[in-house]
Amino acid sequence: MVDNIKDVFRVIWQYRGSGFLLVLYVIALIYLFITEKDKRNRFLVCYLPLTLLLIYLSPVYYRIYVLGIDAVGTYYRNLWMIPVAVTVVYAGCRAISAHRRAGALIVAAAIALCGRFTYTAVESVRAENAYHIPQYVCDLCDEMSQDIEGVEVYACVPLEMLFYVRQYDSSICLLYGREAVEPVWGYYDRYYEAYELAETLNWDEVLELTRSPERGIGVVTYFVVPESRDMDSDPESHGLVRITNNNGYILYKDEVASEQIREVLRGTLYVE
């Protein structure tokens, strides 16, 4: 039980971020408990979040969640139900409305002292595009077009691209996703082992899996391979066609897999 409590507070500590948002939330919650008189608002910003927080802090609920719902690695998502930012902003507006100058000065001081100026932060990076993801990912995804309209594209990409591909184009399906990035989840499957974990990329092994007839029209037609990746042979000798090279990554298209899709769909509305 003690270990469960420690785990709960460890998750809160990891969730706190780099600023003082949780500290401001506690202050805002106390302030609204004292000043908020409207029953509906009081319920929404005081009683309901506090109830959810107490449930979250319960070691019993923690055990139920971990054993019956999901893994420890996703427990922090319960905190998304608590309107932290909304409550802090609402409390700030209430303070300004009630105390005018004093309230405005306090809120301004909280913003200045507890936040960071984004445009001068050391780790700030200028966005390359409207999607706020690396431009080379967008360019590579734009090259992944299926020969047959209406058929989803399946691709294998390196771990560092997993977060971005589906954000940019949800029509591109991946053999494994975010679960492979989180070590705590101990993710494993045969595709991940063959394409990502192997020290040397064995194309015979990889293509045997990705071209498997069991996959139907879900065979993989595109592979993104880092230029520095060790490979046992030339991909083009296995029926792969080099499409483009971008930012140190090579995009290959599997023409054999494309033909498999056409054969499966031959005689349908997709392929006459």
Side-chain angles (χ1 to χ4, degrees):
M1 187 67 73
V2 174
D3 290 337
N4 292 343
I5 296 174
K6 288 181 179 179
D7 285 340
V8 170
F9 280 97
R10 176 180 55 79
V11 173
I12 292 178
W13 182 255
Q14 293 173 340
Y15 183 80
R16 79 192 189 284
S18 57
F20 294 86
L21 186 58
L22 291 185
V23 175
L24 290 176
Y25 177 65
V26 173
I27 296 173
L29 201 59
I30 295 173
Y31 176 74
L32 292 174
F33 261 113
I34 297 173
T35 62
E36 182 59 61
K37 303 303 179 185
D38 186 288
K39 291 183 178 179
R40 290 175 298 180
N41 290 343
R42 193 176 177 86
F43 173 78
L44 289 174
V45 298
C46 296
Y47 296 133
L48 183 58
L50 187 59
T51 301
L52 292 173
L53 186 58
L54 291 174
I55 293 174
Y56 173 83
L57 293 173
S58 169
V60 176
Y61 174 71
Y62 174 83
R63 292 294 293 172
I64 293 173
Y65 183 91
V66 172
L67 294 178
I69 301 177
D70 210 339
V72 179
T74 63
Y75 192 65
Y76 69 93
R77 294 179 181 175
N78 289 268
L79 293 171
W80 291 349
M81 296 185 290
I82 301 174
V84 176
V86 172
T87 303
V88 171
V89 172
Y90 179 66
C93 292
R94 289 276 301 174
I96 295 173
S97 176
H99 306 288
R100 301 289 179 173
R101 291 183 181 178
L105 287 173
I106 292 173
V107 171
I111 293 173
L113 297 175
C114 298
R116 290 179 298 174
F117 189 54
T118 303
Y119 297 104
T120 58
V122 175
E123 67 274 18
S124 64
V125 179
R126 185 178 180 84
E128 298 181 51
N129 49 59
Y131 302 97
H132 288 246
I133 62 178
Q135 184 59 42
Y136 77 88
V137 177
C138 302
D139 295 338
L140 289 172
C141 289
D142 287 339
E143 296 286 347
M144 298 184 197
S145 59
Q146 191 60 275
D147 296 333
I148 305 170
E149 186 177 354
V151 178
E152 292 180 321
V153 172
Y154 277 81
C156 273
V157 302
L159 284 182
E160 60 269 22
M161 291 178 60
L162 287 180
F163 288 103
Y164 303 124
V165 173
R166 297 279 295 174
Q167 289 182 48
Y168 179 70
D169 189 346
S170 60
S171 68
I172 299 175
C173 302
L174 303 176
L175 288 186
Y176 43 86
R178 181 176 179 272
E179 65 274 10
V181 181
E182 300 290 346
V184 70
W185 292 347
Y187 178 79
Y188 171 83
D189 75 8
R190 52 185 181 165
Y191 302 103
Y192 179 58
E193 180 185 33
Y195 194 71
E196 192 67 41
L197 296 183
E199 292 186 9
T200 300
L201 191 58
N202 185 318
W203 281 111
D204 285 329
E205 181 181 357
V206 170
L207 294 174
E208 183 180 358
L209 293 171
T210 60
R211 292 173 178 172
S212 171
E214 298 176 0
R215 296 193 58 82
I217 61 172
V219 291
V220 177
T221 49
Y222 287 97
F223 296 88
V224 178
V225 186
E227 286 183 332
S228 58
R229 187 79 159 91
D230 290 330
M231 296 183 283
D232 70 328
S233 55
D234 182 2
E236 297 185 50
S237 67
H238 295 270
L240 274 64
V241 177
R242 183 175 177 141
I243 303 299
T244 187
N245 184 317
N246 195 318
N247 201 54
Y249 294 91
I250 304 173
L251 176 65
Y252 292 99
K253 182 178 181 181
D254 187 352
E255 292 291 356
V256 175
S258 295
E259 183 58 34
Q260 282 185 238
I261 295 174
R262 283 190 285 269
E263 284 299 321
V264 172
L265 295 177
R266 200 172 303 281
T268 68
L269 294 176
Y270 290 98
V271 181
E272 296 180 356

